Amino acid sequence: MAYKFEDIDKIVGFTSWSVKQKIDELYRIDCDMYCNLGTDSTKKEKQEVKSKSRKIYSAIKKIDEETGRTLLFAMDSK
């Protein structure tokens, strides 16, 4: 099943998945959003993807504190 951005809370809550599986799926969702941006994407669309990406990184932080903190720090330093 292909999960979407709306499913991030569900993914975080999965008890049968390992930490790696959860983070990998969240990375896949993030990657998919950025891959769907193109040269014709508006500034608003790019900002929406960046905002959603921040929420995904916050979800990763709930699963793995250090990894999530590092991702958010890298996002803020740009």
Side-chain angles (χ1 to χ4, degrees):
M1 177 177 183
Y3 292 98
K4 298 186 183 226
F5 173 76
E6 295 77 21
D7 300 321
I8 60 173
D9 290 330
K10 187 189 320 182
I11 293 167
V12 170
F14 284 158
T15 56
S16 60
W17 283 20
S18 69
V19 169
K20 183 183 180 325
Q21 283 177 299
K22 292 176 188 181
I23 292 174
D24 284 350
E25 185 61 24
L26 292 170
Y27 280 152
R28 190 202 57 78
I29 293 168
D30 191 46
C31 181
D32 186 54
M33 290 188 313
Y34 279 104
C35 286
N36 287 323
L37 289 177
T39 56
D40 60 338
S41 296
T42 64
K43 190 172 184 175
K44 182 181 177 189
E45 290 171 330
K46 291 176 184 177
Q47 284 299 103
E48 286 176 9
V49 168
K50 188 173 181 179
S51 174
K52 287 181 177 182
S53 190
R54 174 172 290 286
K55 290 177 184 174
I56 289 172
Y57 296 163
S58 293
I60 290 173
K61 188 176 176 184
K62 291 177 187 175
I63 300 167
D64 182 347
E65 178 79 25
E66 184 178 345
T67 302
R69 191 174 8 142
T70 303
L71 290 167
L72 290 169
F73 179 77
M75 181 178 251
D76 291 340
S77 66
K78 288 186 179 180

